[in-house]
Amino acid sequence: MKTVVAFASRYGSTKEIAEFIAEHLRRGGASAEARSVEVVSNPEDYDALVVGSAVYMQRWMDSAVEFVHEHQAILAQRHLWLFSSGPLELPPELVAKNGLDSVPKEIPGLQEALKPHDHRVFFGVLDPKKLSFKHRALRKLPAARPLFPEGDFRKWDEIKSWTDEIAQSLSKGHAVSEKGA
Ligand SMILES: Cc1cc2nc3c(=O)[nH]c(=O)nc-3n(C[C@H](O)[C@H](O)[C@H](O)COP(=O)(O)O)c2cc1C
């Protein structure tokens, strides 16, 4: 099963998650590569796709949304997993107070249209040194400050376990061609 982990990443942390997933799949014997959604022009060449995006303002990045819409017909026929990378591990009371939903707005519609095997949200990274001028200014607003803590909140064990689930499903997929089998 040839697999691509297609990612959209602004500051690189989602790219690293995608590379980790591809590498872990390869270690398990699968054929897998991580590629930016901007360069995957041939999703039909893959048996399985893992598509992930960083999350900004509760949305996937435009390039990821464009990718899934452009290739919707193919993606709906392939073994597909989705992930989002964003939350910065805030105290639950802050999440509740600000009505923050860790699931990006596009996901319910994508789940309906594409029937992925799964969608997962992984914690992200905030490195103030990397932020654009606009994002840095936004983070400095008094109301926003507590919502954007600095740190690398990624939980590699969780990402690894999820990748193991994908690998298991892909190995079963050798014997069957039907999506969802
Ligand atoms: C301006 C800004 C807005 C953000 N908005 C959200 C959001 O709505 N939901 C979320 O889960 N994470 C949000 N994040 C956190 C990012 O998703 C996180 O930093 C992610 O790891 C960035 O991935 P990247 O390095 O691949 O670009 C935001 C970060 C910034 C700087």
Side-chain angles (χ1 to χ4, degrees):
M1 297 272 267
K2 196 176 163 198
T3 304
V4 67
V5 186
F7 62 83
S9 176
R10 173 142 194 188
Y11 298 116
S13 63
T14 309
K15 176 175 187 268
E16 288 171 358
I17 293 175
E19 286 169 347
F20 177 90
I21 292 171
E23 166 75 21
H24 194 57
L25 288 173
R26 282 197 300 275
R27 282 190 189 183
S31 158
E33 55 191 11
R35 294 272 183 274
S36 162
V37 287
E38 286 167 17
V39 302
V40 179
S41 55
N42 53 341
E44 63 279 7
D45 292 353
Y46 298 93
D47 305 296
L49 295 97
V50 182
V51 183
S53 176
V55 183
Y56 290 93
M57 304 316 193
Q58 304 198 20
R59 294 199 167 275
W60 265 21
M61 290 179 65
D62 289 348
S63 58
V65 174
E66 280 160 24
F67 176 80
V68 290
H69 285 160
E70 186 181 344
H71 301 294
Q72 180 165 337
I74 293 292
L75 295 182
Q77 294 166 9
R78 293 295 190 268
H79 290 280
L80 178 70
W81 287 263
L82 306 177
F83 73 91
S84 305
S85 141
L88 302 169
E89 215 171 3
L90 304 172
E93 56 277 14
L94 204 58
V95 172
K97 189 175 152 211
N98 288 278
L100 301 176
D101 187 350
S102 65
V103 177
K105 297 207 187 303
E106 295 80 9
I107 295 302
L110 293 179
Q111 284 175 315
E112 181 63 31
L114 304 174
K115 305 276 187 277
H117 292 298
D118 196 12
H119 165 254
R120 266 316 148 84
V121 176
F122 296 123
F123 284 110
V125 174
L126 193 128
D127 179 352
K129 291 190 295 299
K130 286 190 180 170
L131 295 184
S132 67
F133 178 78
K134 195 176 131 198
H135 283 172
R136 204 171 296 177
L138 178 73
R139 184 172 178 262
K140 281 193 179 138
L141 295 173
R145 189 87 209 192
L147 302 176
F148 294 101
E150 175 176 357
D152 183 344
F153 304 97
R154 291 172 295 182
K155 308 259 184 285
W156 295 106
D157 282 353
E158 277 179 21
I159 299 167
K160 196 167 165 186
S161 302
W162 190 61
T163 309
D164 286 335
E165 286 175 29
I166 295 174
Q168 213 174 14
S169 182
L170 288 177
S171 66
K172 281 190 217 148
H174 274 299
V176 285
S177 56
E178 284 288 302
K179 178 173 181 173

